Each structure stands twice: as C-alpha cells, then as structure tokens.
Amino acid sequence: MSATILDYCAEHAESFLAPEKLSTAKGDALVESSPIGVLFGVEPWNHPYCQIVRFAAPNLMAGNVVMVKHASNVRQCALAFERLLEEAGASAGAFTNVFISKDQVAQVNDDDRIRAVALTGSDGAGAVVAQRAGKNLKKSTMALLSSAQALETLLGQVDEAVAHGARIVMGDQRIEGQAGAFMQPTILTDIEAANPTYKQEFFGPVALQEVDPGELNGSGGQSPGWHPRVMPGQGASP
C-alpha cells in the first residue's frame, strides 16, 4: 500500500498542482498551488510505514518539507523510511525524523518555522495538538481514533463475520465495570473467502482462522489456516 500511494502521488502530482483557470462574473482568475514550508506530523505505531507515506508523499510532491515524530516503538521504521527516501534521491532535509517526547511536541508546534501540523492518534492527543496549533494560528489536520467508536466498529465487524458463516470460539463481548472501551479477547473461525470480513482489518484483540482455497491439499476443497491479525487498537484492547 505504501508503494502504491507513492506511485500515485508521483503520477498525478503534476496534474493536481497545475494552475486552474476560473471564469467569474468579474473576469478570469487563476488558482495556483504553492508550498507553505515545514510541516510537522505526529504519527502512531500501527501501519508504521503507511502512516508516514500518507502524510509525507503528497506534501513532498507539493514542494513542502516534512518533519515526523513517529511512535517511540517504531523508530527503526522511521529511520528505514528516511534512508529509502535518501537512496531514491530526495534532497537533504526534505524528510526529517525527530525523536522527541510528547511534552516536546508542544515546543515544536510553537516554533514559527513550522507552518502546519498533522496528527493521527487518540482524541486526547488530537485535542492537545489541535489546541496548540489553533493558538499559534497554524493549519492542522487531525485523524482521530475514538475508543468508543473503535469498539463499536469492532463489535460490528464480528457480527458481520458471524452473519456470513463465521463461528465465535470465545470472546465477542465488551468488558464492563472499568473506565474506557474494552473488548474481550476474541477468536473467530471458519471465515471463508466469500465472507465480507475476510479482507478486513480487525483493529482490536481478534484472532481469525480463515478458510483458504485448498490448493495445498490438492483436493479442490478448503483447508483452514490460522492468520491472526491481532492489533490492540485505541481502547479496544484487553
């Protein structure tokens, strides 16, 4: 997916950024796109490469430079991505990793050289970063993951899987009696390729036993295989 996003931006950037002519009652006008400077992104651990690409690729193609504070548990991924850009011929300083604490994010946000801020993360983190950006009159974009919303989405996915033939071995219940939105560890089996959830990501404590076409056993039937896609998401983890 990361490579696809990079290819898409490279292929379409010229047309996306081309001047656009507008005809108005007052005469003709021309809309032009210009870079605004240094952009600061705060990214989460899940999909450690794709999250960076979604932020960096379009903004680099638009002529901006980007600084990224990645999650502390995927710093090697951040460094690997920076090396890949250098090997591909990106200009020095076009992409910079900053390994800083959460408290230091506010200091970067306050720096006049930072022209805009983006964050993917929890509602709480988004509220803090967006408030700071607003105080500094900076553009900001927030992709927020509500814990309650994430849990409802996850429970809905399990229900959909069962409605199309999957079987619950254990779990599939919210955990009551404590603050936050939590779900029991869940195991689903008998998920066939025709099941709509076969190709979905379960962003939470759900292990899946998918039924694959039986190419390996030569029978033309189906053979089960464990493909645990367990991702403890925002507040939807045990």
Side-chain angles (χ1 to χ4, degrees):
M1 182 182 292
S2 297
T4 300
I5 295 173
L6 289 167
D7 288 341
Y8 181 85
C9 289
E11 180 180 352
H12 297 284
E14 184 176 0
S15 60
F16 288 162
L17 298 172
E20 181 182 358
K21 294 182 179 180
L22 297 178
S23 296
T24 71
K26 299 294 184 179
D28 294 334
L30 189 67
V31 178
E32 295 184 338
S33 299
S34 300
I36 63 174
V38 184
L39 312 183
F40 179 47
V42 181
E43 301 300 331
W45 59 267
N46 66 305
H47 303 299
Y49 294 110
C50 189
Q51 295 287 9
I52 301 177
V53 169
R54 291 172 61 249
F55 168 63
N59 287 306
L60 288 172
M61 296 304 297
N64 299 296
V65 297
V66 298
M67 295 175 59
V68 172
K69 181 236 178 286
H70 216 334
S72 59
N73 58 341
V74 289
R75 289 181 175 180
Q76 293 300 319
C77 296
L79 289 170
F81 184 77
E82 186 173 3
R83 286 195 299 270
L84 286 174
L85 286 182
E86 292 174 354
E87 293 171 4
S91 301
F95 179 96
T96 303
N97 286 304
V98 288
F99 301 117
I100 58 178
S101 67
K102 294 180 180 179
D103 293 336
Q104 290 173 311
V105 168
Q107 298 178 33
V108 176
N109 203 340
D110 289 343
D111 194 303
D112 291 338
R113 292 169 293 183
I114 301 297
R115 305 307 302 273
V117 183
L119 175 141
T120 300
S122 67
D123 291 3
V128 172
V129 173
Q131 182 182 40
R132 200 84 179 196
K135 178 182 177 182
N136 294 318
L137 300 179
K138 295 180 180 180
K139 296 179 181 294
S140 66
T141 59
M142 302 288 127
L144 305 179
L145 304 172
S146 169
S147 296
Q149 181 180 356
L151 177 57
E152 293 304 321
T153 298
L154 192 59
L155 291 171
Q157 286 179 292
V158 173
D159 290 343
E160 183 179 20
V162 172
H164 289 84
R167 184 170 65 91
I168 298 174
V169 176
M170 62 173 287
D172 186 37
Q173 298 293 326
R174 68 178 69 233
I175 298 176
E176 306 289 355
Q178 63 184 71
F182 294 88
M183 178 180 179
Q184 296 174 347
T186 300
I187 297 176
L188 292 177
T189 64
D190 303 331
I191 301 177
E192 299 185 3
N195 194 313
T197 62
Y198 185 85
K199 296 182 179 180
Q200 292 180 11
E201 174 190 4
F202 283 66
F203 196 70
V206 181
L208 313 174
Q209 185 191 43
E210 299 170 343
V211 179
D212 295 329
E215 297 177 357
L216 296 179
N217 61 25
S219 65
Q222 293 182 319
S223 57
W226 279 102
H227 304 280
R229 290 179 271 154
V230 182
M231 300 189 67
Q234 296 289 133
S237 57

